[in-house]
Amino acid sequence: MSEIIQVGIDLGTTNTLVSVMNKGKMKCLKFGRSEMLPSVLYVNEDGSIEVGEKAQAKGVIDPNNRIKSSKTWMGDFYKTWKFDGLEVTPTLAATEILKTVKANVMKRLKVEEGTTIEAVITVPAYFTSNQIDETRKAGQAAGFKVTRITTEPMAAAIAYGATLATDDKLFVIDLGGGTFDISVLQVNYENNVYDNLAVDGDKKLGGDDFDETIFKYFNQIIQEDLEIDLSSLGTSGLEYGQYYSMQGRLLQAAERAKVELSESDEAEVLVPNLFTYEGEEYNFETRLSRAKFDSLCAPLYKRINQTITDMIKRENIDIKGIGRVILVGGSCYIPAIKENVEKIFNQKVYTDMDLSTLVVTGACILANSQTGVEKVQVNDIISHSLGIEVVGENGQELSRILLKNRKYPATEAEIFTTTFDYQEVVTINVYEGEDEKDLTKNEFYGSFTLEGIEKAKKGVPQIEVTFNFDESRILEVTAKDLTTSACKKVTMKKGEKIISGEQSPIDFMLLIDASGSMSIGGRMDEAKKACNKLIEEMIDLSVHRLGLVDFTSRAELICGLTQDENKLLDTVAHITTGGSTNMHHAIKIANNELKSSINDKVIIIVTDGRPDNNEEAKAMAKVSKQSGIRVITIGVGNDIDRELMKRLSSVSETNQVEFYQINNMNKLAETFKTIINSLSRQ
Ligand code: ADP
Ligand code: MG
């Protein structure tokens, strides 16, 4: 018999839960003894991955082979955990957790292989579209048919919906292990309609921070007691295994004390034989009062309160209009948090149901409602604003077009113009986020170019940019020159490369070796002139954005990726000479800067190819190989260390070492063109 089973999954940062409907009743399935599966992975020596309680226990002793709170990094394409011969991404970590969930469902419900298991998985309300997408992918990879992703506060509200019967405005506060999530919802229980009105939160705030605070305090106690520095393995004087197992056990003790303090005024802490010091076993023993705990955690309380009050202010929320304040998540057991929330809202919080199972219960109701009798209607909103990069007073800024908290589907248009005289091409760089003044605080979403702009002085052309965002989180961006009618419409998903028949744009970081001893043949002026020429020509090339790292002894980034010619020219004027080169540092900076772009990325190093010492040469080669980004070197002069330059450079797909040699800087622009042409042919 082939049947379909519907489950709700609360894929938590700390704990994961799964719930099924059984004879009209919601039931959380147990993993071993508990309903909560610790969202912890442990990588065994043979490379196999374990998830759950056992993984957690092993991780306490050996934290270096453990992954915990991986959800905090969900959607971060640059985060990986590296083990011997194994690399784990946040999405893979989620997949492993969900595989364990699926195996458990199969076992507990005795379902046959091949049965379709439909799942509703919950995510924090402020998750970006990309994080939602990765969660969906993880669910599918684990073998679920993911019918819907909904937000945790929404699920909590739905769970309460089963017990209440009036219309209400809810304020849901979810503080789990690593994430903090707040939402305002309008609920019409009678008709089962749930409208999300506003969301906010902090991606990196939760129970882990409380543990960390207490853990640091415990470390301090031991340090004072024994007069040793435990801040790192090196300074502690302990053996590798001993140091990490000691830190792991101390962190566990910190968490236990925290949990105990939710019930009692004082926690007794005892960790026998924490480590051996000067031949003697050290037993860690202390008492922690709730008052002390509260004073240590005061900065965290402040952040939590601030996030809530900021949102109330920003969204103009009338506190008196909030019917119920609902607490969700294990960290809301902390008494001070509840008290603070009650003070802010001037009402008692509603905690009729178990804080830990609210989310999974709601998810399960939703999973079953899609086919069942009781249809639940959920209206989600855009959790982060979307806009485009513009040149403003402070350089690159964000102009938000679709504002957060808008209901799906949403459409909005705005008019923009050009930055340069007679500019015929504009690049539309789409970003997700709220910070209009500092573009780098927002997340890059996607990009495309529009050609055929009216040939006119800067500021004259009228380019209309329209955003259209639907519930499946597919964004459609249209750019249109209102005079020439040149128009391009692009459908994008975050992180996806837009290849619409055209050559994909390239982002370059240019490293100018301007150290005192060399300054490219000893003539800094010549080098600057060459760079200026290069920048002027750059606009016509298929270069998308260019950045500069000046690697004097300080190796600072003097200009982030930009298309602003004036800014680049101004930056070149400020390149200084002096000190010895710190090239490997410069490569690192360039690498970091490029990471946020989804275009093809290249680092170009312009140097005389004579490092100051051997160590530096080795470090340079290492960083360049590890960067994962193409490194093309241009050596200037006849006196370069060709072997080193080759070691620094990448190898192209045609097996060419990407190293160019020029006699003087006048050839820089030309060489650059050659490089670009060879890149586009690939
Ligand atoms: P998540 O949604 O992140 O998986 P949970 O809602 O399960 O997290 O909450 C886990 C967090 O709650 C952990 O940091 C845990 O230490 C904390 N926690 C659980 N119970 C208590 C308690 N009684 N008092 C204080 N903190 C608690
Ligand atoms: Mg949770």
Side-chain angles (χ1 to χ4, degrees):
M1 176 187 78
S2 90
E3 51 172 345
I4 298 176
I5 295 170
Q6 281 92 16
V7 301
I9 301 173
D10 171 6
L11 179 62
T13 313
T14 328
N15 296 301
T16 297
L17 292 92
V18 60
S19 187
V20 293
M21 186 86 87
N22 192 355
K23 299 193 186 101
K25 271 193 141 179
M26 227 64 61
K27 193 172 155 232
C28 271
L29 297 184
K30 284 198 169 159
F31 295 86
R33 282 168 300 144
S34 165
E35 290 164 348
M36 293 200 235
L37 173 76
S39 310
V40 177
L41 277 69
Y42 182 83
V43 180
N44 290 306
E45 259 176 30
D46 63 0
S48 60
I49 299 176
E50 269 180 87
V51 177
E53 221 171 293
K54 239 167 109 190
Q56 191 174 38
K58 287 185 181 179
V60 171
I61 311 294
D62 177 21
N64 288 334
N65 285 312
R66 166 195 69 188
I67 303 173
K68 65 178 273 211
S69 304
S70 59
K71 182 173 154 184
T72 336
W73 285 278
M74 197 61 170
D76 180 344
F77 293 126
Y78 299 103
K79 175 73 187 177
T80 54
W81 290 268
K82 292 195 175 77
F83 306 94
D84 264 350
L86 181 71
E87 255 185 56
V88 181
T89 60
T91 309
L92 183 65
T95 307
E96 289 296 328
I97 295 165
L98 290 168
K99 270 188 194 163
T100 310
V101 170
K102 183 164 178 246
N104 195 46
V105 171
M106 307 278 290
K107 190 175 110 191
R108 297 267 165 190
L109 301 183
K110 299 193 177 68
V111 292
E112 288 166 29
E113 223 26 82
T115 305
T116 304
I117 305 180
E118 292 184 344
V120 169
I121 306 177
T122 57
V123 294
Y126 58 80
F127 249 27
T128 59
S129 43
N130 158 41
Q131 292 175 300
I132 291 172
D133 225 43
E134 289 305 304
T135 306
R136 190 190 303 274
K137 278 187 206 152
Q140 282 158 354
F144 287 107
K145 182 174 175 212
V146 183
T147 49
R148 185 169 191 132
I149 302 274
T150 195
T151 68
E152 287 155 14
M154 180 66 87
I158 294 171
Y160 269 113
T163 66
L164 305 171
T166 51
D167 283 2
D168 233 335
K169 198 175 252 179
L170 308 180
F171 200 102
V172 183
I173 297 173
D174 182 353
L175 187 65
T179 54
F180 179 47
D181 207 1
I182 49 182
S183 278
V184 186
L185 302 149
Q186 177 69 50
V187 183
N188 177 333
Y189 284 121
E190 206 178 345
N191 298 318
N192 258 323
V193 181
Y194 295 76
D195 279 308
N196 212 336
L197 301 182
V199 298
D200 212 325
D202 190 327
K203 280 178 210 188
K204 299 221 155 119
L205 178 61
D208 288 350
D209 298 288
F210 289 83
D211 302 348
E212 197 64 34
T213 305
I214 305 310
F215 165 74
K216 281 198 182 125
Y217 171 66
F218 285 175
N219 263 299
Q220 205 184 320
I221 294 176
I222 301 172
Q223 289 191 175
E224 279 165 19
D225 199 13
L226 299 177
E227 293 182 356
I228 52 173
D229 182 357
L230 291 175
S231 58
S232 70
L233 171 66
T235 55
S236 72
L238 299 177
E239 268 172 41
Y240 181 90
Q242 207 184 26
Y243 176 77
Y244 286 107
S245 113
M246 171 239 163
Q247 295 279 290
R249 290 177 66 205
L250 208 54
L251 184 63
Q252 188 185 39
E255 200 222 339
R256 287 193 176 151
K258 171 190 79 173
V259 171
E260 194 179 331
L261 286 172
S262 294
E263 296 294 326
S264 43
D265 290 335
E266 194 176 69
E268 262 193 65
V269 184
L270 174 65
V271 192
N273 191 13
L274 183 61
F275 60 102
T276 311
Y277 186 65
E278 291 180 345
E280 272 187 51
E281 285 182 2
Y282 182 81
N283 301 321
F284 178 64
E285 214 174 336
T286 190
R287 281 170 180 278
L288 180 65
S289 69
R290 190 186 285 171
K292 179 71 188 175
F293 174 84
D294 285 342
S295 81
L296 289 168
C297 297
L300 295 173
Y301 296 149
K302 202 170 154 202
R303 265 173 77 192
I304 294 167
N305 297 344
Q306 192 79 43
T307 309
I308 299 173
T309 49
D310 280 356
M311 179 194 192
I312 291 173
K313 220 194 260 158
R314 201 183 45 247
E315 304 297 333
N316 256 327
I317 295 166
D318 176 15
I319 290 181
K320 285 195 221 86
I322 301 288
R324 280 196 173 83
V325 181
I326 292 176
L327 298 186
V328 190
S331 298
C332 285
Y333 287 116
I334 297 173
I337 291 178
K338 188 171 153 198
E339 284 156 27
N340 289 338
V341 169
E342 292 186 334
K343 246 185 247 155
I344 293 172
F345 289 93
N346 198 19
Q347 63 168 281
K348 288 260 169 253
V349 297
Y350 193 68
T351 48
D352 261 17
M353 290 170 76
D354 181 3
L355 296 186
S356 339
T357 54
L358 265 177
V359 171
V360 74
T361 304
C364 187
I365 295 175
L366 195 55
N368 283 279
S369 95
Q370 316 208 312
T371 49
V373 259
E374 248 188 304
K375 265 249 169 317
V376 178
Q377 191 188 330
V378 168
N379 297 319
D380 266 332
I381 51 172
I382 299 172
S383 59
H384 295 269
S385 302
L386 286 158
I388 64 169
E389 173 184 341
V390 292
V391 181
E393 278 168 31
N394 310 314
Q396 288 144 294
E397 295 181 355
L398 171 72
S399 175
R400 293 182 303 163
I401 297 176
L402 271 185
L403 297 189
K404 72 180 269 190
N405 297 338
R406 283 262 315 244
K407 257 194 199 144
Y408 293 102
T411 303
E412 200 68 56
E414 259 180 57
I415 310 277
F416 296 88
T417 187
T418 48
T419 345
F420 308 116
D421 290 344
Y422 311 112
Q423 185 181 340
E424 286 176 277
V425 178
V426 288
T427 304
I428 310 286
N429 286 319
V430 178
Y431 280 80
E432 191 174 45
E434 312 307 322
D435 199 327
E436 297 209 303
K437 289 282 159 247
D438 184 356
L439 188 73
T440 59
K441 294 269 159 57
N442 304 287
E443 281 188 38
F444 185 70
Y445 200 96
S447 122
F448 67 94
T449 54
L450 174 68
E451 289 168 22
I453 307 288
E454 176 192 3
K455 230 178 168 178
K457 286 267 184 201
K458 66 179 173 193
V460 173
Q462 289 212 306
I463 303 152
E464 185 185 60
V465 178
T466 311
F467 275 44
N468 202 329
F469 206 19
D470 73 14
E471 201 150 344
S472 56
R473 284 159 177 95
I474 291 176
L475 176 70
E476 197 182 76
V477 183
T478 314
K480 184 179 180 189
D481 183 313
L482 297 181
T483 310
T484 66
S485 289
C487 182
K488 189 141 144 196
K489 189 191 266 185
V490 165
T491 306
M492 47 175 95
K493 265 189 149 179
K494 193 162 167 187
E496 218 173 45
K497 246 184 181 171
I498 314 293
I499 307 160
S500 44
E502 72 191 46
Q503 202 172 291
S504 77
I506 305 159
D507 282 351
F508 283 99
M509 272 318 281
L510 191 59
L511 310 192
I512 308 294
D513 185 347
S515 69
S517 60
M518 103 86 179
S519 50
I520 312 165
R523 290 183 297 275
M524 200 55 212
D525 280 351
E526 195 183 291
K528 284 189 184 179
K529 240 190 253 159
C531 285
N532 284 349
K533 193 168 156 217
L534 171 69
I535 288 158
E536 278 164 17
E537 290 189 11
M538 180 201 86
I539 301 296
D540 300 330
L541 303 170
S542 81
V543 175
H544 189 55
R545 292 185 294 181
L546 187 69
L548 288 162
V549 174
D550 170 15
F551 50 104
T552 59
S553 54
R554 283 159 296 132
E556 45 183 341
L557 174 70
I558 50 177
C559 188
L561 290 173
T562 180
Q563 280 184 298
D564 185 342
E565 189 178 0
N566 293 331
K567 200 169 161 194
L568 282 162
L569 291 174
D570 187 49
T571 307
V572 172
H574 285 96
I575 291 181
T576 51
T577 59
S580 61
T581 311
N582 194 344
M583 237 205 286
H584 75 278
H585 196 123
I587 302 172
K588 267 193 196 162
I589 292 175
N591 183 30
N592 273 346
E593 187 68 15
L594 283 168
K595 271 187 170 170
S596 62
S597 99
I598 58 156
N599 299 317
D600 285 341
K601 334 164 203 269
V602 177
I603 293 174
I604 294 202
I605 302 177
V606 186
T607 175
D608 69 346
R610 279 174 293 146
D612 293 333
N613 61 55
N614 230 342
E615 284 311 305
E616 172 65 18
K618 268 194 219 152
M620 267 159 65
K622 192 168 160 208
V623 178
S624 132
K625 285 284 172 288
Q626 280 174 349
S627 70
I629 289 173
R630 285 176 79 174
V631 179
I632 301 177
T633 49
I634 303 178
V636 188
N638 299 319
D639 192 18
I640 50 178
D641 180 344
R642 294 179 64 95
E643 278 319 301
L644 170 72
M645 300 296 280
K646 284 183 184 166
R647 258 191 290 144
L648 270 180
S649 317
S650 301
V651 175
S652 74
E653 282 168 27
T654 50
N655 265 336
Q656 298 265 340
V657 177
E658 303 201 290
F659 158 53
Y660 294 77
Q661 186 176 5
I662 54 180
N663 293 332
N664 58 56
M665 284 296 276
N666 293 335
K667 292 270 188 316
L668 182 63
E670 211 178 290
T671 312
F672 201 75
K673 271 191 200 166
T674 313
I675 292 171
I676 288 169
N677 286 334
S678 75
L679 288 175
S680 24
R681 253 187 275 115
Q682 274 177 16

